[in-house]
Amino acid sequence: MAHWVLWFVDIRTILVCAIAFLVISWWTRKPKNLPPGPWTWPILGSLPNLGISLYRSGLQPHQFMAKLTKHYGKVYSFYLGNQLLVILNSAESVREAFQNQYLADRPTAKIPEKLKMTKGQGVVMASGDHWREQRRFTLSTFRSFGVGKRSFQDQISVEVKALCQEFSSFKGESFDPRKLLSNAVSNIICSVVFGKRFEYSDTTFHELLHLLDKTVEDAGAGAAAIFIPIVRYLNMRSTADNVRYERAQRLWKFYRAIVDDHREQFDRVDLKDYIDVYLDEIEQVEGSERAFNINEHNMIATVAQLFAAGSETTVTTLRWALLYMMAYPNIQDKVQQEIDNVVGRNRLPNLSDKEQLPYTEATLMEIQRIASIVPLGVPHYAAEDTTLLGYTIPQNTIIMSNIWAIHHDPATWTDPEIFRPERFITGDKLVKQPDEYLPFSTGRRVCLGENLAKMELFLFFSQLLHHFTFKKPKDAQNLCLDGKIRATNSPSDFRTEAIVRD
Ligand code: HEM
């Protein structure tokens, strides 16, 4: 037997294997002083061990990554294939990392060119000067239209009013609020970007929302595959490439038609919306270096991303809000009592009431904390070698912030799984914002729509609860408060009864 084995595994085979092992180990050797992490295999990194443990745990990726802190601490690292990832599970590490100028890039999406809707990167996915230019331009244009300022609240209230009419039309019968919320919230971005709102019955609007919804769903299902080639090769995507391609084409056509329309009606002395201002800027930078960043491809990419980033997040938060109000009728009642006491029944709450409505605000904050709808943030990328809390972060590392872990850390939040708005209220009945509360992330790439989102959430939530009481339908099963990952941590589909209040 021993003779047979020796014949099969002769000395040359052993030598070749040993050399191959040494070369692969050298090739995939870890840089020194990385944050701690699990065992790394040559070529595959920690994919086999983490993949199996994740599968066995039955947990969502953010929950699984929170659990890994027990073994490796709040900042740890691992390889997926040859891609190094650093996971930040504490507010302190996220704050320090996201202030660092070398950790403000995004990883490049590793998907075939033909699946990209445009050649532009847009503000969410761009890096370096390219990103700085898009961000500066978008923020200043938003500011010039008053987006996120008090003067903008009338535009939001128009949408809440339209939404209330739709909810009322069910006359207390149960319905799924998702599509209607999506119409209302998307119309706010439409008014800023396209300069117009759509009627809920408009078929073009429906098609746009449907395409965006599917794109967001795909992004969520295959988020890791977008940035990490080995995950893509393992084919963990849910939707075939030809379907994605067809969707990207239809979205492109939609935006193209809107831009063409804007070009036809363009009037430099009357810039009505984001696209008008962008077209004006494109003309102004023509022939200069800035034309590399400010061009039509980037405009369309940014517009598409403003929709995706601005609608899905806000709609998902509002869906969680309705669900939690149904699940905790006593808290819903307390919010309504506060609104009634401060605002009365003859007018709707508005932003000038916000300071007098601490319980309402604290309830919204608790919804954002417990649901943590962007559980792993949006990935950052190391543009250069740098250090973080004494560790080395090599160039090309992907850095993820586990916002869910930060929002559910028992060291910060007593009984983190319990829904308790009071945790955001001081003894003086003022709203407090702990350092560990980061729904919009922090630092250089902090959510660009934070002010707008806060206004939207407050106005939608307070005005809806002023108008209706939300009840679990009598024939519905128990409410499910477990999230599932689309691009955001979303509730499962649910129905509600919107009962008009006296
Ligand atoms: C409840 C609502 C929202 C939540 C929870 C949310 C959360 C986030 C988070 C966690 C990030 C990642 C920041 C980072 O990379 O560190 C982000 C980025 C971003 N958000 Fe929001 N967001 C919301 C609403 C909005 C709205 C309404 C807009 C619309 C205009 C918007 C536009 C953006 C953009 C453009 C970025 C990318 C910023 C950049 O890369 O420089 N978001 N958001």
Side-chain angles (χ1 to χ4, degrees):
M1 174 70 178
H3 180 76
W4 183 82
V5 171
L6 277 179
W7 173 80
F8 192 72
V9 187
D10 68 3
I11 190 77
R12 269 171 306 174
T13 316
I14 294 175
L15 266 176
V16 168
C17 289
I19 291 170
F21 183 78
L22 285 175
V23 168
I24 289 169
S25 303
W26 181 84
W27 193 256
T28 57
R29 73 196 185 285
K30 275 189 183 182
K32 290 209 170 72
N33 195 32
L34 290 182
W39 169 257
T40 308
W41 298 89
I43 301 177
L44 296 175
S46 300
L47 197 59
N49 33 338
L50 287 185
I52 292 169
S53 311
L54 170 65
Y55 178 74
R56 280 206 191 129
S57 71
L59 295 170
Q60 306 255 23
H62 51 274
Q63 294 167 325
F64 177 71
M65 290 194 201
K67 218 174 135 199
L68 290 183
T69 60
K70 290 201 181 112
H71 301 284
Y72 309 112
K74 298 232 162 120
V75 177
Y76 58 81
S77 65
F78 54 80
Y79 280 86
L80 292 183
N82 64 357
Q83 177 60 61
L84 176 63
L85 285 94
V86 169
I87 315 295
L88 310 174
N89 295 274
S90 70
E92 182 205 6
S93 56
V94 174
R95 282 184 195 285
E96 180 163 335
F98 291 179
Q99 262 319 328
N100 183 331
Q101 57 169 321
Y102 302 121
L103 299 179
D105 278 4
R106 296 275 188 227
T108 316
K110 311 244 176 8
I111 53 173
E113 279 303 312
K114 78 166 201 170
L115 291 187
K116 294 180 184 165
M117 191 191 65
T118 135
K119 290 194 197 98
Q121 291 177 321
V123 66
V124 181
M125 295 315 298
S127 294
D129 286 345
H130 210 58
W131 159 68
R132 265 182 286 279
E133 186 98 61
Q134 304 299 320
R135 184 162 172 120
R136 209 179 303 129
F137 174 78
T138 304
L139 276 172
S140 81
T141 309
F142 272 22
R143 234 173 276 130
S144 70
F145 288 122
V147 179
K149 293 197 188 140
R150 279 209 174 167
S151 53
F152 195 69
Q153 74 172 327
D154 291 347
Q155 252 157 296
I156 300 176
S157 294
V158 167
E159 294 308 329
V160 191
K161 194 171 167 208
L163 184 68
C164 284
Q165 275 169 6
E166 294 290 329
F167 279 11
S168 297
S169 71
F170 290 95
K171 299 191 169 37
E173 293 292 319
S174 74
F175 64 98
D176 182 343
R178 183 164 147 206
K179 274 206 174 132
L180 292 171
L181 283 168
S182 179
N183 290 351
V185 171
S186 305
N187 253 340
I188 293 165
I189 300 278
C190 284
S191 64
V192 179
V193 176
F194 305 152
K196 69 172 205 166
R197 68 179 296 273
F198 290 88
E199 287 306 322
Y200 288 9
S201 52
D202 190 315
T203 47
T204 320
F205 188 42
H206 277 265
E207 191 189 352
L208 170 69
L209 296 188
H210 173 73
L211 288 171
L212 284 172
D213 195 49
K214 289 291 164 202
T215 311
V216 163
E217 210 166 79
D218 288 347
I226 296 174
F227 304 111
I228 306 169
I230 196 165
V231 181
R232 185 173 166 82
Y233 294 133
L234 290 175
N235 201 15
M236 287 161 82
R237 291 158 300 137
S238 57
T239 310
D241 280 354
N242 59 340
V243 178
R244 288 174 178 230
Y245 175 69
E246 200 245 336
R247 277 184 200 145
Q249 288 299 302
R250 276 160 67 194
L251 267 178
W252 166 254
K253 265 196 201 148
F254 178 87
Y255 291 123
R256 183 68 276 152
I258 295 225
V259 170
D260 288 347
D261 212 36
H262 274 69
R263 274 204 195 283
E264 260 169 42
Q265 322 225 340
F266 185 71
D267 176 1
R268 166 148 306 130
V269 288
D270 183 20
L271 302 174
K272 295 182 206 63
D273 52 45
Y274 184 84
I275 293 186
D276 269 354
V277 182
Y278 211 121
L279 289 174
D280 187 42
E281 191 78 356
I282 291 175
E283 271 191 40
Q284 296 203 24
V285 302
E286 211 177 301
S288 79
E289 258 181 35
R290 289 184 63 218
F292 180 64
N293 297 328
I294 298 290
N295 54 47
E296 209 169 271
H297 284 295
N298 265 322
M299 174 177 76
I300 294 187
T302 297
V303 165
Q305 291 171 1
L306 288 175
F307 268 99
S311 303
E312 167 75 11
T313 46
T314 314
V315 170
T316 304
T317 310
L318 289 170
R319 288 176 67 223
W320 278 118
L322 297 190
L323 194 57
Y324 271 97
M325 290 306 94
M326 288 196 288
Y328 292 87
N330 52 334
I331 294 181
Q332 175 168 208
D333 191 48
K334 237 174 133 176
V335 173
Q336 288 172 324
Q337 290 304 321
E338 184 183 71
I339 296 174
D340 288 356
N341 288 341
V342 172
V343 176
R345 299 296 305 143
N346 297 328
R347 68 171 179 91
L348 288 170
N350 61 46
L351 288 172
S352 55
D353 301 312
K354 196 170 169 183
E355 265 178 35
Q356 275 78 255
L357 298 171
Y359 191 78
T360 308
E361 204 187 336
T363 305
L364 263 175
M365 290 170 83
E366 178 67 343
I367 289 161
Q368 287 196 273
R369 180 197 71 80
I370 204 160
S372 294
I373 61 145
V374 194
L376 290 172
V378 179
H380 285 224
Y381 198 62
E384 292 192 17
D385 290 353
T386 184
T387 52
L388 173 66
L389 300 171
Y391 295 118
T392 300
I393 309 292
Q395 189 181 32
N396 302 338
T397 304
I398 291 182
I399 298 102
M400 318 256 300
S401 51
N402 193 344
I403 297 177
W404 187 90
I406 297 167
H407 284 171
H408 287 79
D409 185 349
T412 311
W413 316 93
T414 323
D415 306 324
E417 297 317 316
I418 303 224
F419 183 65
R420 190 191 300 135
E422 286 78 5
R423 64 173 93 240
F424 287 103
I425 298 184
T426 64
D428 304 334
K429 300 223 178 318
L430 295 173
V431 174
K432 64 173 170 191
Q433 180 146 333
D435 287 346
E436 292 81 7
Y437 180 67
L438 294 175
F440 298 99
S441 187
T442 176
R444 292 166 188 264
R445 292 202 84 137
V446 65
C447 173
L448 185 148
E450 179 173 358
N451 286 345
L452 173 62
K454 283 181 176 162
M455 274 180 74
E456 288 178 334
L457 292 178
F458 177 78
L459 290 170
F460 272 91
F461 185 63
S462 62
Q463 296 190 4
L464 282 174
L465 287 201
H466 185 270
H467 212 86
F468 302 103
T469 296
F470 293 92
K471 285 195 173 159
K472 173 170 120 36
K474 285 159 222 74
D475 55 350
Q477 292 176 343
N478 282 345
L479 296 172
C480 171
L481 295 174
D482 295 331
K484 61 172 185 183
I485 294 288
R486 279 162 47 87
T488 53
N489 186 32
S490 310
S492 303
D493 286 341
F494 65 86
R495 300 174 76 78
T496 183
E497 288 174 1
I499 312 295
V500 177
R501 299 179 67 216
D502 298 329

